[in-house]
Amino acid sequence: MRLRFTTAGESHGRGLVTVVEGLPAGLPVTAEWVDRDLGRRMRGHGRGGRMTIEQDRIEWISGVRAGETLGSPVAMLIANRDWANWQEVMAAEAAGAPRERRVTRPRPGHADLTGVLKYDRTDARDILERASARETAARVAAGALARRLLDEFGVTVASHVVALGGIVAGAVDPLDAPGAADHSPVRTLDPEAEAAMVQRIDAARAAGDTLGGVVEVVADGLVPGLGSHVSWDRKLDGRLAGMLMSIPAVKGVEIGLGFAAAARPGSEVHDPIIAGGGHAAPRRGGNNAGGLEGGMTTGEPLVVRIAMKPLSTLMTPLETVDLSSGRSARAETERSDVTAVPALGVVAEALVALVLADAMLEKFGGDSLTEMRRNVDGYRAQLAARWSGERDAAR
Ligand code: EPS
């Protein structure tokens, strides 16, 4: 792995920290660029009260000077504004003081119960503070830097909601409407479905319930050959699926036609390769593969769908056990969202950008952006030469 990142921070602690290592030197970056994605993650109909408290933005800690990366680890801090209300509860050192706001009624579906068993805790807050999807803000900050690198090479990553609470949006190619999803309260591109999704969220809120859904991420402008067929851990399909499955509440990932391909004969699945004739590169007669063949990008748009289960904090709580008495109880009703599916798209974009930037760095290396650009240009020229016949002539 060339581009590594790690995050630290509890949901109601002082803040979230992100460290990104492996970016080339000389990449122009601004806090505004990162904050734009942080802002996009916070929006969406169905979000809870926390998003009215926070104004997520980063503070550079290291790795950037005069607006450019140095090639050293980039560290960023996102302060939690809510920390002001939680300082006593979340204090690192509270000698002898009784713990406040203990959570002893674990929420089915959350990390609460298994976490307290595994980490030998009596207060599930010790688990939920880190299991909270608040951590995804730190990943979005890392992803914004990856997106900045991809942007230098004309690669774009976008997303839209294709299903929410069982309402399915009509098929739209997000590449035809760049940025349009950000104008929808549920980040969908189908206005009819949008109205129905908003209604369903309102009904779920009234019922104290939560909703899941499906988002699609599309990356365009990729060179063919990112990832590799040669070893399992270099296959891009697996790297994308693993990364996306690590998002809280995500239960499924599909690439291209995904599960639907399993029901079709091969003749209706594989995208024909159509000769360009003469000096033109061949083109593909479709993109059921979702831009990946043999664990490598084909150069067609990368299309990934991600399914999220409904959030596990229900305001009409489910049955659980009280850890302090061992008796049956109703689960904790910690503040939460009705749905975070619109935000999921922004988080998934960030993680797809991180995987793609890592694959770009693996193929094109480079300590500096200049060096990386030279390598990318060289590869592009090599590919172009193949179809022009120059390469064969030179052999
Ligand atoms: C989130 C912040 C959290 C939750 C949500 C995601 O803030 P708080 O717990 O203070 O309300 O709104 O977390 C969950 C849904 C969860 O299950 O953990 C955020 O910043 O995205």
Short mmCIF file of all heavy atoms in Angstrom, two decimals, residues 11-12 16 41-42 47-51 53-54 56 82 86 107 110 128-129 131-137 311-313 334-337 340 343, ligand 1:
data_model
loop_
_atom_site.label_atom_id
_atom_site.label_comp_id
_atom_site.label_asym_id
_atom_site.label_seq_id
_atom_site.Cartn_x
_atom_site.Cartn_y
_atom_site.Cartn_z
N SER A 11 -16.44 10.19 19.26
CA SER A 11 -17.52 11.05 18.73
C SER A 11 -17.68 12.33 19.55
O SER A 11 -17.89 13.41 19.00
CB SER A 11 -18.83 10.28 18.71
OG SER A 11 -19.85 11.09 18.20
N HIS A 12 -17.59 12.20 20.90
CA HIS A 12 -17.76 13.40 21.74
C HIS A 12 -16.47 13.79 22.44
O HIS A 12 -16.49 14.49 23.46
CB HIS A 12 -18.89 13.17 22.74
CG HIS A 12 -20.18 12.81 22.08
ND1 HIS A 12 -20.68 11.52 22.03
CD2 HIS A 12 -21.05 13.56 21.36
CE1 HIS A 12 -21.80 11.51 21.33
NE2 HIS A 12 -22.04 12.73 20.91
N LEU A 16 -11.33 14.84 15.93
CA LEU A 16 -10.90 13.71 15.11
C LEU A 16 -9.58 14.06 14.45
O LEU A 16 -9.39 15.18 13.98
CB LEU A 16 -11.95 13.43 14.02
CG LEU A 16 -13.35 13.06 14.52
CD1 LEU A 16 -14.38 13.28 13.42
CD2 LEU A 16 -13.39 11.62 15.01
N ARG A 41 -20.71 15.94 3.55
CA ARG A 41 -21.02 14.77 4.39
C ARG A 41 -22.06 15.09 5.46
O ARG A 41 -22.81 14.23 5.91
CB ARG A 41 -19.74 14.25 5.06
CG ARG A 41 -19.86 12.88 5.71
CD ARG A 41 -18.76 12.64 6.74
NE ARG A 41 -18.99 13.44 7.92
CZ ARG A 41 -19.61 13.01 9.02
NH1 ARG A 41 -20.00 11.77 9.10
NH2 ARG A 41 -19.81 13.81 10.06
N MET A 42 -22.11 16.34 5.87
CA MET A 42 -22.99 16.71 6.98
C MET A 42 -24.44 16.90 6.56
O MET A 42 -25.33 16.92 7.40
CB MET A 42 -22.49 18.00 7.62
CG MET A 42 -21.15 17.85 8.29
SD MET A 42 -20.60 19.39 9.02
CE MET A 42 -21.74 19.50 10.39
N ARG A 47 -30.80 13.59 8.73
CA ARG A 47 -29.69 13.66 9.68
C ARG A 47 -30.22 14.15 11.03
O ARG A 47 -31.28 14.78 11.11
CB ARG A 47 -28.61 14.61 9.16
CG ARG A 47 -27.92 14.09 7.91
CD ARG A 47 -26.98 12.95 8.22
NE ARG A 47 -25.60 13.41 8.22
CZ ARG A 47 -24.63 12.80 8.91
NH1 ARG A 47 -24.90 11.78 9.69
NH2 ARG A 47 -23.39 13.24 8.84
N GLY A 48 -29.45 13.90 12.08
CA GLY A 48 -29.92 14.23 13.43
C GLY A 48 -29.42 15.57 13.93
O GLY A 48 -28.83 16.36 13.19
N GLY A 49 -29.63 15.81 15.24
CA GLY A 49 -29.33 17.10 15.86
C GLY A 49 -27.85 17.45 15.86
O GLY A 49 -27.48 18.63 15.87
N ARG A 50 -27.00 16.44 15.85
CA ARG A 50 -25.56 16.71 15.94
C ARG A 50 -25.08 17.58 14.79
O ARG A 50 -24.17 18.42 14.97
CB ARG A 50 -24.80 15.37 15.95
CG ARG A 50 -23.28 15.49 16.02
CD ARG A 50 -22.82 15.98 17.39
NE ARG A 50 -21.40 16.15 17.48
CZ ARG A 50 -20.53 15.19 17.83
NH1 ARG A 50 -20.98 13.97 18.12
NH2 ARG A 50 -19.25 15.44 17.89
N MET A 51 -25.67 17.38 13.63
CA MET A 51 -25.19 18.11 12.45
C MET A 51 -25.52 19.60 12.51
O MET A 51 -24.98 20.40 11.76
CB MET A 51 -25.71 17.47 11.16
CG MET A 51 -25.14 16.07 10.90
SD MET A 51 -23.33 16.01 10.77
CE MET A 51 -22.86 15.35 12.37
N ILE A 53 -25.00 21.15 15.32
CA ILE A 53 -23.99 21.64 16.29
C ILE A 53 -22.64 21.82 15.60
O ILE A 53 -21.95 22.81 15.83
CB ILE A 53 -23.84 20.64 17.46
CG1 ILE A 53 -25.17 20.47 18.21
CG2 ILE A 53 -22.71 21.07 18.40
CD1 ILE A 53 -25.15 19.37 19.28
N GLU A 54 -22.29 20.84 14.76
CA GLU A 54 -20.94 20.85 14.17
C GLU A 54 -20.85 21.73 12.92
O GLU A 54 -21.84 21.96 12.24
CB GLU A 54 -20.53 19.42 13.79
CG GLU A 54 -20.52 18.44 14.95
CD GLU A 54 -19.53 18.83 16.05
OE1 GLU A 54 -18.57 19.56 15.79
OE2 GLU A 54 -19.75 18.40 17.21
N ASP A 56 -17.96 21.04 10.54
CA ASP A 56 -16.70 20.32 10.35
C ASP A 56 -15.75 21.05 9.40
O ASP A 56 -16.10 21.38 8.27
CB ASP A 56 -16.98 18.91 9.83
CG ASP A 56 -17.64 18.03 10.88
OD1 ASP A 56 -17.62 18.43 12.06
OD2 ASP A 56 -18.19 16.98 10.52
N ASP A 82 -19.14 19.83 19.76
CA ASP A 82 -19.95 19.26 20.85
C ASP A 82 -19.11 18.91 22.09
O ASP A 82 -19.66 18.68 23.17
CB ASP A 82 -20.67 18.00 20.32
CG ASP A 82 -22.01 17.75 21.01
OD1 ASP A 82 -22.49 18.67 21.72
OD2 ASP A 82 -22.58 16.66 20.86
N TRP A 86 -19.45 17.91 26.51
CA TRP A 86 -19.14 16.55 26.94
C TRP A 86 -17.81 16.45 27.71
O TRP A 86 -17.34 15.36 27.99
CB TRP A 86 -19.06 15.62 25.71
CG TRP A 86 -20.40 15.32 25.12
CD1 TRP A 86 -21.14 16.11 24.30
CD2 TRP A 86 -21.17 14.11 25.28
NE1 TRP A 86 -22.31 15.50 23.94
CE2 TRP A 86 -22.35 14.26 24.53
CE3 TRP A 86 -20.97 12.93 26.00
CZ2 TRP A 86 -23.33 13.27 24.47
CZ3 TRP A 86 -21.94 11.94 25.93
CH2 TRP A 86 -23.11 12.11 25.18
N ARG A 107 -27.59 -1.36 22.04
CA ARG A 107 -28.52 -1.30 20.89
C ARG A 107 -28.27 -2.49 19.97
O ARG A 107 -27.14 -2.66 19.48
CB ARG A 107 -28.32 0.01 20.11
CG ARG A 107 -28.69 1.25 20.90
CD ARG A 107 -28.00 2.47 20.38
NE ARG A 107 -26.55 2.39 20.60
CZ ARG A 107 -25.67 3.25 20.12
NH1 ARG A 107 -26.07 4.25 19.37
NH2 ARG A 107 -24.38 3.10 20.39
N HIS A 110 -25.72 -2.43 16.84
CA HIS A 110 -24.56 -1.55 17.05
C HIS A 110 -23.41 -2.39 17.63
O HIS A 110 -23.59 -3.55 17.97
CB HIS A 110 -24.94 -0.40 17.98
CG HIS A 110 -24.29 0.90 17.61
ND1 HIS A 110 -22.97 1.18 17.90
CD2 HIS A 110 -24.75 1.98 16.95
CE1 HIS A 110 -22.67 2.39 17.45
NE2 HIS A 110 -23.74 2.90 16.85
N LEU A 128 -19.19 2.80 21.99
CA LEU A 128 -19.97 3.54 20.98
C LEU A 128 -19.31 4.86 20.58
O LEU A 128 -19.53 5.33 19.46
CB LEU A 128 -21.41 3.77 21.44
CG LEU A 128 -21.68 4.74 22.60
CD1 LEU A 128 -21.85 6.16 22.11
CD2 LEU A 128 -22.95 4.31 23.35
N GLU A 129 -18.51 5.42 21.48
CA GLU A 129 -17.87 6.69 21.15
C GLU A 129 -16.94 6.55 19.93
O GLU A 129 -16.78 7.48 19.15
CB GLU A 129 -17.08 7.20 22.34
CG GLU A 129 -17.94 7.84 23.41
CD GLU A 129 -18.54 9.17 22.95
OE1 GLU A 129 -17.93 9.84 22.10
OE2 GLU A 129 -19.62 9.53 23.46
N ALA A 131 -17.20 3.65 17.85
CA ALA A 131 -17.95 2.96 16.79
C ALA A 131 -18.84 3.94 16.03
O ALA A 131 -19.30 3.63 14.93
CB ALA A 131 -18.79 1.84 17.40
N SER A 132 -19.10 5.11 16.62
CA SER A 132 -19.97 6.11 15.98
C SER A 132 -19.49 6.46 14.58
O SER A 132 -18.28 6.58 14.33
CB SER A 132 -20.00 7.39 16.83
OG SER A 132 -20.56 8.45 16.08
N ALA A 133 -20.44 6.65 13.70
CA ALA A 133 -20.12 7.03 12.32
C ALA A 133 -19.54 8.45 12.24
O ALA A 133 -19.18 8.91 11.16
CB ALA A 133 -21.35 6.91 11.45
N ARG A 134 -19.43 9.10 13.37
CA ARG A 134 -18.72 10.40 13.39
C ARG A 134 -17.31 10.23 12.82
O ARG A 134 -16.76 11.14 12.19
CB ARG A 134 -18.66 10.91 14.83
CG ARG A 134 -17.84 12.16 15.02
CD ARG A 134 -18.72 13.38 15.17
NE ARG A 134 -17.95 14.61 15.05
CZ ARG A 134 -18.02 15.44 14.02
NH1 ARG A 134 -18.84 15.22 13.02
NH2 ARG A 134 -17.29 16.53 13.98
N GLU A 135 -16.72 9.07 13.01
CA GLU A 135 -15.36 8.80 12.55
C GLU A 135 -15.24 8.96 11.03
O GLU A 135 -14.15 9.22 10.51
CB GLU A 135 -14.96 7.38 12.98
CG GLU A 135 -13.53 6.98 12.70
CD GLU A 135 -13.33 6.27 11.36
OE1 GLU A 135 -14.32 5.82 10.76
OE2 GLU A 135 -12.19 6.15 10.91
N THR A 136 -16.36 8.81 10.33
CA THR A 136 -16.29 8.91 8.87
C THR A 136 -15.90 10.32 8.41
O THR A 136 -15.43 10.49 7.29
CB THR A 136 -17.61 8.48 8.20
OG1 THR A 136 -18.67 9.33 8.65
CG2 THR A 136 -17.94 7.02 8.50
N ALA A 137 -16.09 11.32 9.29
CA ALA A 137 -15.65 12.68 8.93
C ALA A 137 -14.14 12.69 8.69
O ALA A 137 -13.63 13.29 7.74
CB ALA A 137 -16.04 13.68 10.03
N LEU A 311 -29.81 2.48 10.40
CA LEU A 311 -28.99 2.75 11.59
C LEU A 311 -29.60 2.04 12.80
O LEU A 311 -30.81 1.84 12.87
CB LEU A 311 -28.89 4.25 11.84
CG LEU A 311 -28.23 5.04 10.71
CD1 LEU A 311 -28.27 6.53 11.00
CD2 LEU A 311 -26.80 4.58 10.49
N SER A 312 -28.74 1.68 13.76
CA SER A 312 -29.20 0.81 14.84
C SER A 312 -29.72 1.55 16.07
O SER A 312 -30.16 0.92 17.02
CB SER A 312 -28.08 -0.16 15.22
OG SER A 312 -26.87 0.53 15.34
N THR A 313 -29.66 2.87 16.06
CA THR A 313 -30.24 3.61 17.18
C THR A 313 -31.67 3.96 16.82
O THR A 313 -31.91 4.85 16.00
CB THR A 313 -29.44 4.90 17.47
OG1 THR A 313 -28.07 4.55 17.60
CG2 THR A 313 -29.93 5.57 18.73
N GLU A 334 -29.72 6.80 22.37
CA GLU A 334 -28.70 7.84 22.10
C GLU A 334 -29.11 8.62 20.85
O GLU A 334 -29.57 8.01 19.87
CB GLU A 334 -27.36 7.11 21.87
CG GLU A 334 -26.19 7.99 21.59
CD GLU A 334 -25.37 8.31 22.85
OE1 GLU A 334 -25.76 7.86 23.95
OE2 GLU A 334 -24.37 9.01 22.72
N ARG A 335 -28.90 9.93 20.88
CA ARG A 335 -29.23 10.77 19.71
C ARG A 335 -28.63 10.18 18.43
O ARG A 335 -27.50 9.69 18.43
CB ARG A 335 -28.66 12.17 19.94
CG ARG A 335 -28.82 13.11 18.77
CD ARG A 335 -28.22 14.45 19.11
NE ARG A 335 -26.78 14.34 19.34
CZ ARG A 335 -26.03 15.29 19.91
NH1 ARG A 335 -26.60 16.42 20.29
NH2 ARG A 335 -24.76 15.13 20.09
N SER A 336 -29.39 10.22 17.34
CA SER A 336 -28.89 9.62 16.10
C SER A 336 -29.61 10.22 14.90
O SER A 336 -30.36 11.19 15.02
CB SER A 336 -29.08 8.11 16.15
OG SER A 336 -28.49 7.51 15.04
N ASP A 337 -29.38 9.63 13.74
CA ASP A 337 -30.03 10.07 12.50
C ASP A 337 -31.14 9.07 12.15
O ASP A 337 -31.07 7.91 12.54
CB ASP A 337 -29.02 10.06 11.35
CG ASP A 337 -27.73 10.81 11.68
OD1 ASP A 337 -27.82 11.89 12.28
OD2 ASP A 337 -26.66 10.30 11.32
N ALA A 340 -28.61 7.89 7.19
CA ALA A 340 -27.36 8.56 6.80
C ALA A 340 -26.99 8.14 5.38
O ALA A 340 -25.83 8.26 4.98
CB ALA A 340 -26.26 8.20 7.79
N ALA A 343 -25.33 10.84 3.27
CA ALA A 343 -23.93 11.03 3.70
C ALA A 343 -23.06 9.87 3.27
O ALA A 343 -21.86 10.05 2.97
CB ALA A 343 -23.88 11.19 5.22
C1 EPS B 1 -22.39 11.34 13.37
C2 EPS B 1 -22.39 11.88 14.62
C3 EPS B 1 -23.14 11.25 15.69
C4 EPS B 1 -24.41 10.59 15.16
C5 EPS B 1 -24.15 9.64 14.00
C6 EPS B 1 -23.12 10.11 13.05
O1 EPS B 1 -23.40 12.27 16.57
P1 EPS B 1 -24.18 12.14 17.96
O2 EPS B 1 -23.93 10.75 18.48
O3 EPS B 1 -23.59 13.20 18.84
O4 EPS B 1 -25.61 12.41 17.63
O5 EPS B 1 -25.29 11.57 14.68
O6 EPS B 1 -23.73 8.41 14.51
C7 EPS B 1 -24.52 7.33 14.32
C8 EPS B 1 -25.57 7.33 13.57
C9 EPS B 1 -24.11 6.11 14.99
O7 EPS B 1 -24.86 5.11 14.92
O8 EPS B 1 -23.10 6.12 15.64
C10 EPS B 1 -21.64 11.98 12.29
O9 EPS B 1 -20.87 12.95 12.49
O10 EPS B 1 -21.79 11.49 11.16
#
